[in-house]
Amino acid sequence: MLSPKIEKALNEQVLLEAESSQIYLAMASWAEVEGYSGIAAFLYKHSDEERLHMLKLVKFINERGGHGIIPQLKAPSAKYKGVKELFQQVHDHEILVSTEINRLVDICLKEKDYTTHNFLQWYVSEQIEEEALARQIMDKLKLIGGDKSGLYMFDRDVSMMGSAPGGGK
């Protein structure tokens, strides 16, 4: 059984994972319209994976006697200044998600809910990978600078960079 405190915290994480999926979906749509097909493919995949993270949480909450709540979402931004700024937002968002996962783990330890703590270790590992990939992408974009041919090659290659964050590796 989940305590009310843990159930509430898990449902807050459901909201964050759903928002992540929507944000990356909006980014993918922007990239596609701007002609960045590789970036769009990367972000569409990332959006799908974030939705799977949300579903995994909902199912866990329900299996433990709680009620996974499907949240109402605010519309994410539909416009971005450019590719570097977009991926900086991805990086910053992944750090936010890591912070919230760590907060959730801390709540579980304080509540002595070791089953949920164990379940959350998958998310802890995922966030390590997600942050590392976001940093790798930012490093590549810094190397490219304003070089349009470099950006063209980045767009071509980004969809093949490991797995998109959250890939459940």
Side-chain angles (χ1 to χ4, degrees):
M1 267 319 263
L2 292 173
S3 72
K5 185 174 185 175
I6 299 276
E7 182 178 350
K8 180 179 183 287
L10 287 170
N11 273 310
E12 289 169 0
Q13 191 64 35
V14 167
L15 171 62
L16 185 55
E17 298 292 342
E19 287 173 340
S20 299
S21 179
Q22 290 294 97
I23 289 167
Y24 298 141
L25 182 60
M27 289 176 168
S29 181
W30 175 86
E32 190 169 48
V33 168
E34 294 295 317
Y36 299 114
S37 59
I39 293 169
F42 177 86
L43 290 165
Y44 280 131
K45 182 178 179 186
H46 193 167
S47 173
D48 288 346
E49 290 168 349
E50 296 299 331
R51 182 176 180 278
L52 291 175
H53 294 177
M54 179 196 69
L55 289 173
K56 186 173 183 165
L57 280 164
V58 168
K59 289 178 181 183
F60 179 80
I61 295 166
N62 292 342
E63 287 170 358
R64 293 286 319 279
H67 183 190
I69 304 297
I70 308 307
Q72 180 175 344
L73 302 175
K74 293 181 274 182
S77 177
K79 296 186 188 243
Y80 300 89
K81 291 180 182 176
V83 171
K84 185 175 181 184
E85 294 79 10
L86 180 142
F87 277 106
Q88 183 64 55
Q89 287 181 32
V90 168
H91 178 263
D92 295 346
H93 187 76
E94 293 301 339
I95 290 171
L96 169 69
V97 173
S98 293
T99 299
E100 291 305 309
I101 292 289
N102 290 336
R103 183 184 68 80
L104 191 49
V105 167
D106 187 54
I107 291 169
C108 290
L109 289 174
K110 287 178 180 170
E111 292 286 309
K112 298 185 179 183
D113 183 343
Y114 303 113
T115 302
T116 304
H117 174 269
N118 185 57
F119 169 77
L120 290 173
Q121 294 312 299
W122 182 87
Y123 287 89
V124 171
S125 296
E126 276 301 296
Q127 283 311 117
I128 292 168
E129 294 172 10
E130 289 183 2
E131 282 188 43
L133 184 54
R135 273 193 307 278
Q136 181 185 15
I137 289 170
M138 289 306 300
D139 289 346
K140 289 190 180 306
L141 289 170
K142 284 178 190 167
L143 286 172
I144 293 167
D147 180 18
K148 290 190 185 265
S149 63
L151 184 57
Y152 173 83
M153 291 172 63
F154 173 81
D155 179 56
R156 182 193 69 199
D157 296 345
V158 71
S159 65
M160 297 179 280
M161 285 182 65
S163 177
K169 300 159 273 302

